[in-house]
Amino acid sequence: MNPFTYARAQDAADAVRLGAEKATKYLGGGTNLVDLLRETIEQPEKLIDVTGLSSDIQVRADGSILIGAATRNTVLASHAAVRTSFPALSRALVAGASAQIRNMATVGGNILQRTRCTYFYDNAGSRCNKRNPGQGCDAFEGFNRNHAILGASSSCVATHPSDMCVALAALDAKVHLRGASGERTLLLNDLHRLPEDHPELETQLNSGELITAVELPPLPMAARSTYRKVRDRASYAFALVSVAAAIELEGETVKDVRLALGGVAHKPWRAWKAEAALKGQRATVEAFRAAAEAELAMAVPLHDNAFKVELAKRTITTVFAELMEIES
Amino acid sequence: MPITVNGEHKDLPSDARISLLDFIREDLHLSGTKKGCNQGACGACTVLVDGSERILSCMALAVQYEGRAITTIEGLSANGEMHPLQNSFIEHDGFQCGYCTPGQICSAVGMADELRRSVPSYVTANLSAGKIEMSHDELRERMSGNICRCGAYNGIIDAIAEVQAASRAQEAV
Amino acid sequence: MSVIKDAAQAVMKKAIEIAPDSIMPGGHPDPIINRKHGLIGAPISRIDGPLKVQGSARFAAEFPMDGLLYAALSYSTIARGRIATLDTSAAEAAEGVVLVMTHRNALRLKPTPLFMSAAKAAGGDDLPVMQDDLIHWNGQPIAIVLAESQEQADHAKSLIRATYDAEAGTTSFAAGKAAGLKVGNFQGEPLKHEIGDAEAALAAAPHKVDHIYRTPRHNHNAIELHAATVAWQGDELRIHDASQAVAHMAWSMAHIFGLDEKKVHVSSPYVGGGFGGKTLWSHHVLACAAAKLAGRPVRIMLSREGVYRVVGGRTNTEQRVAIGAQADGHFDALIHTGVVAMSAHNNVPEPFILPAQSAYAAGSFKLEVQVATLDMLANTFMRAPGESVGTFGLECAVDELAVELQMDPIELRVRNEPDKDPTTGLRFSSRNIIEAYRTGAERFGWNKRHLKPGMHREGEWLIGLGCATATYPYYRMPGGIARITISKEGRVKIEIAAHEMGMGTSTAQTQIAAERLGLPIGVHAGSNYHNPPSSVGWGSYHIEDYVAQAQAFQTQLTSLIVEGVFARHPKLKMVMLESGFTWLAPFVWRLHKFWRGIRMETPWVDRPPMEIVHSNIRFSLQPVDAPPDSATLHRLFDHMQSDELILFSTDYPHWQFEGDSALPEGISDDLVRKIMIDNPHATYPRLKQLAPV
């Protein structure tokens, strides 16, 4: 790591003031950033520890939940209101990493974690447009089993590794931001960017902008939601494909539905097409499968990851069937 | 504010880059906590914060833990008496080379506390239930952050399960 | 370019054949081979357990030294060529840096001696380390940085800039194959056996399979990162290492550095996993060379990335297995051939034909491992070299042939069971694989197995049932030395250069030594941390605790006898230390009486408990929990109905008797002689060889 100074922010205003200096980065649990510092992929001159900022979880009367960005993953996953009203989020959180890492990781840090693409990480030996714009992408024709099938470009085929974000994307979560020019709110779905020809730009954040909170809008149907992660090992591995889903029925018809995919794109993938295909349909395994087909129709498999296309379709179908408690 | 390690106050290093792991091993010469990967993938560096919260010391910067209390494997035995988990690991042969062992034991202490607080896991069937139903699958999932390359997993599970069962029996009393 | 000297080949071959045992004419079998009921196989907890669970077992990077410097390595990013420019100026100027060593200023060293090129050579390859600008593999270290802290060393290493004159290297397996193949050599033997004309027999066989099986590269990934703490004292070199071969390391490092072997001290009491990979690699050489130049001790611990760059693993393999068989399953032809990758400076071609050499009888054999030469890191021994990947190919082919023949896969194996080694003709000293298959089949419910795969489903899972033969070689190497010291107190110390990587060597060797020397096991009370010593739980006062220990011994005694320990190990001797003995007689009467009444419950207790105590269990004299008068005490001795039970002790330094005499008053001279001489001699036979008292 290059030498850096360390400061603890007292509150959000203090953090943003410190964050306005050049070459600074906000430090949460450190479970991704410390790794990137060691690999010299990130080289800030100052770290601003924001773990002392708000870690409150406020459940409001309308059922919405406001979560301080310094809340640790384990704490959020264990919260009674999250477990009962937004189980997909709780399950997504505990699907991630290991217990030790979940104890350390903050919600804000989880959102901003960076890809684990091995070429991104191979600072000394591989070409990466994210690390060095214009350098090229060795993953595109390299070993790309873990890479994207949706929304990628020839500049970058990396995936976003977070589980929590997939659930947040499905639940229409909002992120509260604070920067030098004030406060604003974005949908999480709009925070992360697709790579296009600028994979080095991963989010819509302005320089020095800080995530202060995540908000779950009221969504009664989310009480019937879940998260499923498919990976090479039973635990402690990144998703090949993951699914966050919620469903609400009126009789036998789908009244409302939420679906997001992980492991398939540069950002958590909200499956708008599948949702549109399912609304108003009879809730059958065939309908779920057809919706999955609609969503994955645009999938572009790479040399090593074509299996993800079928895997995503099957996982979507199985998850909805499970939510409905029917055999798939 | 100093950092407390196994009950003793220690000055933090001036270099902010030093991990909690390297601080413990190289500055404090407590070599019980191990470096297996230095990138958060193996769990051999697991220590306990404020008594019972398990974290990976390789991913923690020492300066972040100013004012906190850290317990390492050396701090688990008290007055010459070993922790029940340490005895259980010996009895059930829960190790071979012994390098992952301190991390496994500290992690198991942390796991026990998470169970008491009903923290869910990926295999917890009923999220809304008050208490976690302990099972073989729950134990394996909750310990999945600790790798053993010698393959002593069966002994590790038996050792932890025995202590888990004994402490639940005591709580029921 | 062959790297094996013919003479060394002959040495290795002969060495492996040495060690006559019970089946060789004129051999002297080891006397403990057939002892069934001793300490061998007894379930003893690892003796290093308490150290390991408390984190007190010291590994290579954990020996403190004054003035220690920390090392970081920089690695080549090309596979073949030369270093063109190497700018270390920023690294040298960085804070805390004491030395940057490259090929330009490195200590002059001899090339590494390759494994098996000499009796104690331990090198993965035969290359000189950092002596020139040549690059041989992607990942070869090109610089070592020494600094006051690890962070400073790692940061400085990231400032090193190298450019290369790259040559067209061979890094793809396909290109290596196309460039030409050689037959591999493993431990002095060519990996090639032909018996009869297997290709012709295969072509003529009525049933056959012929498939290619591929296995990828493997890395040992021991959880302890390769590390060493090294220090020079004049021309003596001390290395605290993580090693599977300390004697080899010492000799090899002496060779590289031009030292007298006796001046290189390598120790490795604990290894955090070796699996074949903890031998001599370039980081050892670099750390020692840099330490010499810097004049300070060095700690080097490879990062996980560094392990992949510096420590060899198992090469990939591409195996052809073809079996030609009759309708009844008998093999007419067994062909196991293929290609592995290896560098030009290495001699470990993965010997995947080893299992096929011994596994099955066949009318003809063609076995061969060929090598494609690549610009890569050296291969080394890795978790069952040859056996693991070789059995994969062979056993898959046997299973596929079983499908072809519509035959049960176990039955097919049984039909081809050889009665002597199929390729050498040697007798088997023992071979029980068929019995293992039969027993396994019964226990796993093999008779419920579907012949067609994919038939059994449980929820989301398809469940299958299969089998395979695993093989593992047993080699005996010459040159092992042990130093055994027996003290007049009757303690034995055995010093050997073996390795405790977790396989339990220190415990198993202790058991073997104890069995061989006929040593008893002593049980002493104390450290009550696990179970309370009495049925009312933990005592509140020392007197409760101490007195209660007698109960603990009583229940131990009962448990040992009733659970059948002495039936299984009739020659095992146990000595109860500081247990007291005056409780013994009535306790054993009670145990004996109930055994007589309800012994059908414990049929394995094949002798009366009283007899077991008399023959197998002894007690230390102190503490004598005696009645006030010596006559009563003497009667207690009578009650024990044996004068062979008590061994002299004082319990020094905290004796529990009044006055100076450990011997209570009023004991007859005969009994004194028993307690002080005869009984100890009988219990600790080695004492007899000492000068008489």
Side-chain angles (χ1 to χ4, degrees):
Chain A
M1 297 182 199
N2 60 286
F4 52 77
T5 57
Y6 167 89
R8 274 195 200 177
Q10 301 304 312
D11 53 41
D14 187 35
V16 169
R17 186 183 53 77
L18 290 167
E21 293 168 33
K22 69 169 178 62
T24 62
K25 280 213 73 98
Y26 298 118
L27 173 66
T31 53
N32 186 222
L33 185 55
V34 169
D35 199 26
L36 295 170
L37 293 170
R38 278 200 187 113
E39 298 292 327
T40 63
I41 292 170
E42 297 275 9
Q43 298 186 286
E45 289 169 15
K46 182 183 214 135
L47 286 186
I48 300 157
D49 189 331
V50 292
T51 55
L53 271 47
S54 171
S55 55
D56 285 344
I57 301 175
Q58 284 178 50
V59 183
R60 282 100 144 238
D62 63 0
S64 63
I65 306 186
L66 186 68
I67 305 156
T71 305
R72 308 285 179 166
N73 284 195
T74 302
V75 172
L76 183 58
S78 309
H79 194 278
V82 175
R83 290 160 90 150
T84 310
S85 305
F86 300 94
L89 177 57
S90 181
R91 293 202 183 278
L93 281 158
V94 297
S98 67
Q100 293 95 312
I101 292 173
R102 295 192 290 269
N103 288 342
M104 298 165 81
T106 62
V107 166
N110 190 324
I111 291 172
L112 294 178
Q113 69 178 294
R114 304 189 69 187
T115 186
R116 301 310 196 276
C117 167
T118 42
Y119 296 94
F120 169 70
Y121 261 83
D122 183 22
N123 209 352
S126 293
R127 297 175 308 148
C128 173
N129 287 320
K130 209 181 259 298
R131 277 189 283 106
N132 295 299
Q135 191 183 47
C137 171
D138 277 340
F140 191 63
E141 292 191 338
F143 297 104
N144 46 39
R145 181 167 186 273
N146 297 317
H147 292 70
I149 52 170
L150 289 166
S153 73
S154 54
S155 292
C156 182
V157 292
T159 54
H160 194 271
S162 169
D163 295 295
M164 181 192 78
C165 287
V166 179
L168 290 178
L171 300 169
D172 291 314
K174 295 186 240 190
V175 285
H176 293 252
L177 307 174
R178 182 177 184 140
S181 45
E183 296 181 289
R184 61 179 180 136
T185 303
L186 281 182
L187 281 172
L188 178 83
N189 284 317
D190 295 333
L191 176 69
H192 296 107
R193 301 164 78 129
L194 289 177
E196 292 169 333
D197 60 359
H198 50 70
E200 74 279 9
L201 301 174
E202 295 179 346
T203 70
Q204 299 283 359
L205 291 178
N206 297 322
S207 173
E209 209 165 12
L210 172 71
I211 299 176
T212 55
V214 170
E215 182 180 349
L216 297 172
L219 191 63
M221 66 165 295
R224 192 182 206 169
S225 69
T226 193
Y227 184 80
R228 176 82 187 255
K229 184 173 186 178
V230 184
R231 42 190 161 177
D232 282 324
R233 303 199 302 220
S235 185
Y236 201 13
F238 292 100
L240 293 170
V241 164
S242 69
V243 168
I247 194 163
E248 185 183 14
L249 296 185
E250 199 163 53
E252 287 178 1
T253 311
V254 177
K255 183 179 176 201
D256 199 1
V257 65
R258 297 282 186 278
L259 179 63
L261 307 178
V264 296
H266 197 256
K267 61 184 279 183
W269 190 264
R270 181 71 184 266
W272 303 109
K273 294 194 195 63
E275 290 178 11
L278 270 174
K279 282 198 193 125
Q281 297 292 317
R282 276 191 66 224
T284 64
V285 168
E286 291 71 30
F288 299 141
R289 177 78 196 196
E293 297 273 1
E295 189 63 43
L296 274 299
M298 301 287 291
V300 178
L302 302 169
H303 183 266
D304 297 333
N305 71 1
F307 70 91
K308 284 198 184 189
V309 182
E310 177 63 20
L311 182 61
K313 293 176 190 172
R314 290 191 195 183
T315 311
I316 291 167
T317 309
T318 305
V319 167
F320 277 122
E322 268 174 23
L323 278 177
M324 305 274 305
E325 287 159 37
I326 61 182
E327 288 285 313
S328 65
Chain B
M1 272 201 290
I3 186 174
T4 308
V5 180
N6 298 333
E8 289 181 24
H9 292 319
K10 300 289 178 190
D11 291 328
L12 283 166
S14 53
D15 189 341
R17 298 174 293 185
I18 296 179
S19 66
L20 185 59
L21 177 63
D22 279 331
F23 175 62
I24 288 168
R25 283 172 62 84
E26 305 297 328
D27 289 7
L28 303 184
H29 303 295
L30 294 169
S31 57
T33 311
K34 304 300 184 195
K35 183 180 288 187
C37 72
N38 213 29
Q39 58 192 63
C42 77
C45 69
T46 305
V47 297
L48 298 162
V49 178
D50 296 336
S52 55
E53 182 182 298
R54 49 177 168 168
I55 65 157
L56 299 180
S57 59
C58 73
M59 300 308 285
L61 298 177
V63 291
Q64 286 192 281
Y65 287 81
E66 183 179 359
R68 309 289 292 277
I70 308 293
T71 308
T72 70
I73 187 73
E74 291 92 344
L76 277 193
S77 18
N79 303 322
E81 288 190 15
M82 291 207 284
H83 190 281
L85 275 167
Q86 288 170 314
N87 286 313
S88 196
F89 266 68
I90 293 174
E91 268 196 33
H92 290 280
D93 207 30
F95 52 89
Q96 292 185 30
C97 79
Y99 200 79
C100 77
T101 310
Q104 300 277 359
I105 292 174
C106 287
S107 191
V109 173
M111 178 188 78
D113 189 67
E114 285 157 23
L115 282 167
R116 274 193 287 277
R117 290 184 283 119
S118 295
V119 172
S121 83
Y122 185 69
V123 302
T124 303
N126 185 354
L127 272 187
S128 299
K131 254 173 75 85
I132 303 290
E133 281 297 314
M134 203 42 190
S135 69
H136 190 69
D137 284 347
E138 280 279 10
L139 200 153
R140 287 170 66 219
E141 168 61 27
R142 289 165 189 271
M143 289 301 297
S144 72
N146 290 82
I147 290 177
C148 169
R149 290 294 294 161
C150 294
Y153 290 111
N154 287 339
I156 292 169
I157 290 168
D158 288 346
I160 296 172
E162 183 189 288
V163 173
Q164 261 294 300
S167 81
R168 283 213 315 283
Q170 273 183 358
E171 272 164 38
V173 167
Chain C
M1 170 170 91
S2 165
V3 292
I4 302 291
K5 300 182 180 59
D6 287 343
Q9 245 178 307
V11 162
M12 284 311 302
K13 197 173 141 103
K14 189 83 188 97
I16 288 163
E17 278 176 2
I18 300 173
D21 99 36
S22 53
I23 63 158
M24 307 272 291
H28 299 288
D30 188 324
I32 69 172
I33 279 179
N34 293 316
R35 264 196 231 160
K36 299 274 184 230
H37 300 294
L39 289 167
I40 312 284
I44 292 183
S45 289
R46 291 170 192 262
I47 61 179
D48 49 18
L51 288 179
K52 287 178 177 174
V53 299
Q54 294 180 91
S56 338
R58 273 197 205 278
F59 293 81
E62 298 169 359
F63 290 87
M65 296 231 179
D66 288 333
L68 195 63
L69 291 173
Y70 293 83
L73 297 179
S74 185
Y75 307 105
S76 160
T77 52
I78 65 155
R80 187 187 179 100
R82 285 176 182 274
I83 300 169
T85 67
L86 186 52
D87 183 0
T88 57
S89 53
E92 287 166 46
E95 191 181 343
V97 173
V98 167
L99 172 71
V100 178
M101 189 178 90
T102 70
H103 68 280
R104 292 187 298 228
N105 63 344
L107 210 62
R108 291 297 111 199
L109 302 168
K110 295 216 205 64
T112 306
L114 180 64
F115 245 125
M116 291 175 287
S117 65
K120 287 196 261 186
D125 58 43
D126 64 357
L127 290 166
V129 178
M130 211 170 269
Q131 301 294 291
D132 56 43
D133 60 2
L134 293 172
I135 300 297
H136 301 277
W137 78 89
N138 185 317
Q140 177 182 321
I142 58 168
I144 177 170
V145 177
L146 297 185
E148 302 286 351
S149 78
Q150 191 66 59
E151 289 72 22
Q152 288 167 337
D154 289 340
H155 174 59
K157 155 255 169 76
S158 74
L159 301 174
I160 294 174
R161 296 281 172 269
T163 65
Y164 302 91
D165 289 328
E167 286 167 35
T170 312
T171 54
S172 89
F173 193 54
K177 283 194 290 179
L181 303 174
K182 293 190 280 284
V183 174
N185 262 286
F186 184 70
Q187 296 200 333
E189 294 286 338
L191 290 166
K192 187 183 172 83
H193 301 275
E194 290 198 44
I195 301 174
D197 187 343
E199 294 283 8
L202 176 76
H207 299 274
K208 66 195 79 170
V209 288
D210 192 345
H211 294 298
I212 304 287
Y213 300 95
R214 294 183 178 84
T215 63
R217 289 187 58 79
H218 290 145
N219 194 295
H220 313 77
N221 271 317
I223 194 162
E224 178 202 22
L225 297 163
H226 285 64
T229 304
V230 310
W232 290 87
Q233 269 169 315
D235 59 355
E236 302 226 8
L237 173 59
R238 164 156 293 286
I239 305 175
H240 293 286
D241 197 12
S243 176
Q244 300 180 230
V246 290
H248 290 62
M249 267 294 287
W251 182 92
S252 300
M253 293 297 276
H255 174 90
I256 294 168
F257 283 82
L259 302 172
D260 181 341
E261 189 186 353
K262 291 194 200 50
K263 303 236 173 170
V264 181
H265 312 283
V266 182
S267 66
S268 180
Y270 296 99
V271 181
F275 316 118
K278 290 237 165 98
T279 51
L280 170 56
W281 299 99
S282 47
H283 67 288
H284 292 107
V285 180
L286 291 171
C288 293
K292 188 114 197 1
L293 279 186
R296 286 171 64 176
V298 166
R299 170 159 301 152
I300 187 162
M301 183 181 241
L302 294 180
S303 64
R304 190 51 69 176
E305 176 203 354
V307 173
Y308 282 85
R309 306 253 183 249
V310 165
V311 177
R314 192 197 323 268
T315 168
N316 62 304
T317 73
E318 186 179 82
Q319 307 171 37
R320 173 194 177 207
V321 186
I323 309 177
Q326 293 294 319
D328 68 358
H330 282 105
F331 297 166
D332 286 343
L334 175 49
I335 297 173
H336 197 168
T337 62
V339 186
V340 301
M342 199 171 83
S343 86
H345 301 278
N346 179 230
N347 62 350
V348 184
E350 187 70 14
F352 59 74
I353 59 171
L354 291 178
Q357 285 171 204
S358 306
Y360 299 107
S364 57
F365 284 86
K366 179 178 169 196
L367 312 176
E368 186 181 50
V369 176
Q370 290 189 298
V371 174
T373 304
L374 266 60
D375 295 302
M376 59 186 267
L377 177 56
N379 301 329
T380 192
F381 309 98
M382 160 142 187
R383 302 210 204 210
E387 314 280 343
S388 53
V389 293
T391 46
F392 166 66
L394 179 61
E395 294 297 293
C396 282
V398 171
D399 283 344
E400 297 196 58
L401 180 63
V403 172
E404 165 73 20
L405 289 168
Q406 296 273 300
M407 188 181 291
D408 177 84
I410 292 180
E411 187 56 32
L412 179 57
R413 289 170 167 86
V414 171
R415 296 210 179 163
N416 291 287
E417 176 68 0
D419 54 12
K420 49 190 194 315
D421 188 275
T423 51
T424 63
L426 291 172
R427 284 191 291 147
F428 295 120
S429 54
S430 73
R431 181 159 168 137
N432 300 299
I433 186 70
I434 300 302
E435 188 187 324
Y437 269 115
R438 299 268 190 240
T439 311
E442 201 181 293
R443 290 197 196 175
F444 278 78
W446 189 264
N447 57 357
K448 295 195 216 75
R449 178 181 183 265
H450 296 273
L451 214 56
K452 189 163 179 284
M455 303 303 295
H456 182 171
R457 185 175 167 142
E458 283 174 19
E460 290 181 333
W461 295 87
L462 291 171
I463 310 287
L465 194 60
C467 68
T469 302
T471 62
Y472 198 74
Y474 169 57
Y475 295 117
R476 281 191 262 204
M477 303 283 188
I481 299 175
R483 178 186 302 128
I484 305 176
T485 312
I486 304 178
S487 74
K488 62 181 195 267
E489 289 84 28
R491 288 226 160 73
V492 179
K493 181 156 120 173
I494 299 180
E495 295 162 277
I496 49 176
H499 306 94
E500 179 54 87
M501 304 190 285
M503 63 287 208
T505 310
S506 48
T507 308
Q509 291 298 326
T510 305
Q511 284 174 274
I512 291 170
E515 174 73 23
R516 203 183 283 286
L517 297 168
L519 296 174
I521 296 183
V523 178
H524 185 280
S527 24
N528 291 323
Y529 45 77
H530 190 41
N531 293 320
S534 84
S535 50
V536 297
W538 301 97
S540 307
Y541 302 97
H542 178 66
I543 179 174
E544 272 185 275
D545 182 79
Y546 189 80
V547 169
Q549 285 174 17
Q551 282 182 55
F553 277 106
Q554 288 162 11
T555 46
Q556 279 291 310
L557 192 70
T558 312
S559 178
L560 286 162
I561 291 173
V562 170
E563 299 271 2
V565 172
F566 297 104
R568 195 137 170 256
H569 307 281
K571 294 224 269 285
L572 179 67
K573 281 175 271 189
M574 299 220 59
V575 181
M576 302 268 175
L577 298 164
E578 206 179 342
S579 57
F581 63 86
T582 52
W583 51 263
L584 183 65
F587 188 79
V588 176
W589 295 338
R590 183 176 170 86
L591 177 57
H592 186 89
K593 174 178 125 181
F594 278 89
W595 172 82
R596 277 178 56 192
I598 54 168
R599 66 184 192 251
M600 70 287 291
E601 190 193 18
T602 53
W604 48 83
V605 184
D606 55 0
R607 293 180 285 146
M610 190 116 71
E611 209 180 289
I612 294 175
V613 172
H614 289 169
S615 64
N616 292 84
I617 306 180
R618 299 292 173 264
F619 301 82
S620 63
L621 176 66
Q622 292 297 337
V624 183
D625 307 314
D629 59 295
S630 55
T632 314
L633 177 64
H634 219 250
R635 281 205 293 283
L636 276 172
F637 275 101
D638 284 343
H639 288 171
M640 290 190 289
Q641 292 170 264
S642 165
D643 55 7
E644 293 177 356
L645 297 179
I646 307 298
L647 308 178
F648 180 74
S649 72
T650 62
D651 208 12
Y652 180 87
H654 63 84
W655 57 91
Q656 314 257 10
F657 48 87
E658 284 174 22
D660 296 331
S661 175
L663 280 173
E665 296 206 344
I667 302 182
S668 71
D669 285 349
D670 276 345
L671 189 54
V672 167
R673 197 198 152 76
K674 281 273 180 188
I675 290 173
M676 295 195 71
I677 299 173
D678 297 337
N679 294 345
H681 275 166
T683 309
Y684 302 97
R686 290 273 162 176
L687 286 177
K688 282 199 277 246
Q689 293 169 17
L690 300 174
V693 176

